[in-house]
Amino acid sequence: MKILKILCLSSLLWLTACTTTGGLNLPTDQAQPSTGEAGDGSYRSVPQAHRPIFPSGELQPITPQHAASNGVAQLSSPVDLWERIRRGFAMPNLDSDLVTDREQWYTTRPDYMLRMTERSRKYLFHVVEELEMRNMPTELALLPFIESAFNPQAISPVKATGMWQFMPATGKEYDLKQNAFRDDRRDVLASTRAALDYLQKLHNLFNDWHLALAAYNWGQGNVGRAVEKNRRASLGTGYAELNMPMETRFYVPKLQAVKNIVDNPGNYRSTLPLIENHPFFQTVDIERDIDVALAAKLAEVSLEDFKALNPAVNRPVILAAGMPQILLPWDNAAIYQRNLEAYGGSRLASWTVWVAPTNMNVSDAAKHTGMTENELRSLNNIPPRMLIRAGSSLLVTRSAQHQNDVTSHVADNGQLSFSPDVVLKRTLHKAGRNETVISVAAHYRVSKESIADWNRISALTHFKVGQQVVLFLPAPINGVAQKGLPARSNAKGKPTRTKSAPAKSVRTTPRKR
C-alpha cells in the first residue's frame, strides 16, 4: 500500500509538470532549447508572452554610476509636473556669474515668477509630453519662460510672435500658417511642434545643446560663423567662448537660472504653484464653421480662457477648413460635445468670407457685402485712405445667400492687402517773406505738425526768404488731378513756384491684430 501511494504521488507530480510546461497549445512563432529527455539541444515552441531573454556576452556587474543614470527607471511616479521635469534634466549645467545674476533677478521678483508659472499650467504638460516622446531634455520645457513668459500672444519689437517667439519667415519654414484668419505661431500644438523640430535640427547641427539654444536666439548662421571664427583662431568653440550679442550671452544663463530655481525652489526662497501631472486640455474636432463666442458658451468656459487655449484664432469665427481642432479644458470637452448636440440654433457661424473681385474702395465693398462702411472697416481693421486690393479675403456678415462654410483654400491662404488711395509726391516750396510753418500749412491745407515732421523743425518756425520747405502733396494719377487740395497761388494771385523732386509713395501698413 505504501508503494502504491508513492507511485500515485509520483504520477500526480509528473502530470502537474506536463500541465505547466507542455500541456498548452503553444504557438509556433518562437523556439527555445529543449531540456527534455534527449538533452540534445533540440527546439520546441514557446508562447510569445513567455519568450525568454538571453544575455549576450559575459555578464558584468552594474557600476554605481550606471545605477544612478537615467537608464534606471524610477519606481515611483512624479508627485507633480515639476518633479517630472526635474527627472528629465539632461543638459550640462552652466555655472557662471551671469547665471547668478539671473537667479537674483528672478528671486527678487516673486510676483513675476508667480504670474509666469501660473500661466504655464495650461501648456506645460503638453510640452513635457512632446519632449519625452522625442527623448529631448526636459529643461527645454522651461524655454518659453525665457522667450515669452509662457504668453502665446506675446509679440516682440521685431515681430517674433507666440509662446516660442517665431519670426514670420522661420514660422513659414516650419509650416506655421500666417493668414487673415489665424496665426499658427500662437497655436499651442503647432508652435510647440515647430519649436521642437527646430531645436532638434539645431542640436543635430552643432551637437551641443547650449550652441543649439544660442542659434535658436541668434540664428544658426551667426552661431556657425562665430564657431568657425574661433576655430580658425584656435580658440574654444563652446557657448562661453564665443563672441555674441549681449541678448544671446544672457540667453542660456536665463534658462539655467530658471532650471536651478525649479530644481530646488527652497534654495532661492521661491514657491512653485502646484501643477498636477495630468493633461490640462483635450482636442475637440470642429466640423463646421462656428463663432468663437458660441464655442466658448457651448464649452461652458469664459471667453478669456477659451482664447488662452486657442490663441491662434484672431477673428470672431473659427473656420473649420483651416482649424479642424480646438483645445478645451480637460473636463469641458465632454460638456462641449453634449451641448453642441443639444444646440437648437439653425447655424453656428454669424460670419463668412468674401473675396474682393477687383481693387475697390471700402464704400463699394460694403455695398457688395450688405454691411456699412464702418462695420466692414472695424471687422477687418482697414486703415483710412486705403483701397482693398483684388483677391483680398474679408470677413463679412453671413447672409441667407452665403450659408456654405468657407473652403479650405480660402481658410488656409486668405490674405488681406491694401494700397493707398492717394499717392503723395515730394515737393519743394520756396519760402517767401514772413512765411512760417503755420502759414505754409494753411496755404497747402496740410497740418503744421506734418510740415514740422517732414522738415525736422518746430511747428513755430519762421522761414528765411528763399528757404526750401519739403512737402508731400497728392500727385496726379494717370494725368488726372487728385481731390483734396485747392489751386495754390501767392498773395498776388500768381501760382506758387514749386520744384518737384523724385516721386515717392507713402504706404500705410495695416496694424496687426
Side-chain angles (χ1 to χ4, degrees):
M1 181 62 70
K2 185 175 181 180
I3 294 175
L4 182 59
K5 290 181 179 180
I6 293 173
L7 290 174
C8 290
L9 182 59
S10 300
S11 300
L12 182 61
L13 292 172
W14 181 81
L15 289 172
T16 303
C18 291
T19 302
T20 57
T21 58
L24 299 173
N25 293 322
L26 302 177
T28 57
D29 64 339
Q30 175 72 19
Q32 71 175 18
S34 171
T35 57
E37 293 180 357
D40 57 0
S42 61
Y43 283 77
R44 57 183 172 84
S45 299
V46 300
Q48 177 79 9
H50 298 154
R51 180 181 298 176
I53 301 175
F54 298 106
S56 59
E58 185 178 354
L59 296 179
Q60 298 291 335
I62 298 177
T63 64
Q65 291 79 9
H66 182 251
S69 72
N70 289 332
V72 179
Q74 298 280 350
L75 297 180
S76 60
S77 60
V79 295
D80 59 18
L81 197 56
W82 300 115
E83 178 59 28
R84 184 175 175 182
I85 293 172
R86 293 182 194 110
R87 292 184 182 186
F89 285 165
M91 289 169 51
N93 286 323
L94 185 68
D95 186 10
S96 70
D97 292 339
L98 294 182
V99 174
T100 303
D101 176 83
R102 293 299 89 188
E103 289 171 347
Q104 293 174 350
W105 193 93
Y106 287 120
T107 54
T108 55
R109 291 164 175 80
D111 291 344
Y112 173 77
M113 288 292 293
L114 182 61
R115 288 196 306 272
M116 187 167 63
T117 50
E118 282 286 354
R119 189 185 293 131
S120 74
R121 69 167 63 248
K122 295 181 177 67
Y123 321 110
L124 197 54
F125 181 91
H126 173 72
V127 177
V128 173
E129 286 270 295
E130 292 296 307
L131 287 168
E132 289 181 345
M133 286 198 310
R134 297 168 181 247
N135 197 29
M136 296 173 71
T138 53
E139 291 99 322
L140 297 174
L142 309 176
L143 193 59
F145 286 124
I146 312 306
E147 287 288 347
S148 64
F150 261 102
N151 179 8
Q153 298 287 6
I155 302 177
S156 78
V158 293
K159 305 304 180 185
T161 299
M163 191 165 69
W164 295 93
Q165 289 289 280
F166 272 96
M167 294 292 288
T170 310
K172 291 178 181 177
E173 182 181 349
Y174 285 86
D175 199 29
L176 296 178
K177 296 282 186 181
Q178 302 158 58
N179 57 43
F181 309 111
R182 76 179 197 271
D183 188 343
D184 283 348
R185 293 178 297 164
R186 295 187 175 99
D187 184 87
V188 176
L189 304 186
S191 67
T192 298
R193 183 267 309 158
L196 300 192
D197 285 349
Y198 189 23
L199 286 165
Q200 280 185 310
K201 173 189 173 182
L202 294 173
H203 182 256
N204 291 337
L205 181 64
F206 294 105
N207 198 32
D208 181 295
W209 277 115
H210 291 166
L211 292 181
L213 288 167
Y216 189 89
N217 176 258
W218 189 24
Q220 68 182 61
N222 291 325
V223 173
R225 285 186 287 272
V227 169
E228 184 58 30
K229 181 179 179 180
N230 276 23
R231 183 179 289 115
R232 288 196 302 267
S234 299
L235 300 174
T237 56
Y239 175 82
E241 289 85 13
L242 298 184
N243 184 20
M244 58 183 68
M246 189 58 66
E247 179 186 340
T248 309
R249 174 69 60 204
F250 271 93
Y251 192 67
V252 175
K254 286 181 181 180
L255 182 63
Q256 183 68 54
V258 174
K259 173 184 175 180
N260 293 345
I261 294 171
V262 169
D263 191 34
N264 198 332
N267 283 356
Y268 301 93
R269 304 182 304 282
S270 299
T271 302
L272 300 176
L274 174 64
I275 302 181
E276 295 181 355
N277 187 23
H278 183 281
F280 184 89
F281 57 74
Q282 289 193 66
T283 58
V284 175
D285 293 337
I286 296 295
E287 298 178 354
R288 296 170 57 193
D289 295 354
I290 184 171
D291 289 348
V292 171
L294 178 59
K297 181 179 178 181
L298 294 177
E300 298 183 14
V301 300
S302 69
L303 191 58
E304 180 183 3
D305 287 342
F306 184 90
K307 290 182 176 180
L309 284 177
N310 300 279
V313 180
N314 55 15
R315 310 307 291 275
V317 65
I318 300 168
L319 305 181
M323 189 174 179
Q325 287 184 327
I326 59 173
L327 304 184
L328 292 175
W330 185 264
D331 294 328
N332 294 83
I335 295 174
Y336 172 84
Q337 296 288 13
R338 183 174 65 248
N339 288 340
L340 179 62
E341 293 172 4
Y343 181 67
S346 59
R347 64 182 184 183
L348 300 177
S350 306
W351 315 96
T352 188
V353 177
W354 176 76
V355 179
T358 61
N359 289 356
M360 59 177 57
N361 60 42
V362 181
S363 177
D364 290 339
K367 293 176 183 177
H368 277 81
T369 61
M371 301 174 67
T372 68
E373 182 175 340
N374 287 339
E375 287 174 338
L376 191 63
R377 282 189 183 278
S378 176
L379 184 61
N380 294 277
N381 200 30
I382 303 175
R385 299 184 297 278
M386 284 288 161
L387 295 175
I388 299 170
R389 301 186 65 177
S392 290
S393 299
L394 290 94
L395 204 62
V396 299
T397 303
R398 185 174 291 220
S399 64
Q401 293 76 29
H402 298 91
Q403 288 297 316
N404 293 334
D405 285 345
V406 178
T407 65
S408 59
H409 175 75
V410 173
D412 275 339
N413 302 288
Q415 299 291 339
L416 188 55
S417 56
F418 310 104
S419 60
D421 61 357
V422 175
V423 177
L424 301 181
K425 185 176 182 180
R426 185 175 184 271
T427 303
L428 295 178
H429 167 78
K430 188 175 182 180
R433 183 176 299 174
N434 298 325
E435 281 198 304
T436 66
V437 170
I438 295 175
S439 65
V440 172
H443 189 69
Y444 287 94
R445 294 189 180 180
V446 296
S447 70
K448 63 180 184 297
E449 290 80 11
S450 295
I451 294 181
D453 182 56
W454 294 333
N455 293 272
R456 298 182 180 180
I457 57 178
S458 167
L460 302 177
T461 299
H462 286 69
F463 295 118
K464 297 177 181 179
V465 175
Q467 183 176 346
Q468 290 188 330
V469 183
V470 175
L471 302 169
F472 286 94
L473 305 174
I477 299 177
N478 298 327
V480 179
Q482 299 185 75
K483 298 178 181 179
L485 289 179
R488 296 182 295 278
S489 60
N490 60 20
K492 296 181 179 181
K494 297 181 180 180
T496 302
R497 293 184 178 182
T498 59
K499 180 179 180 181
S500 296
K504 176 179 179 181
S505 297
V506 177
R507 185 177 297 272
T508 303
T509 302
R511 291 182 290 112
K512 289 186 175 293
R513 292 183 66 85

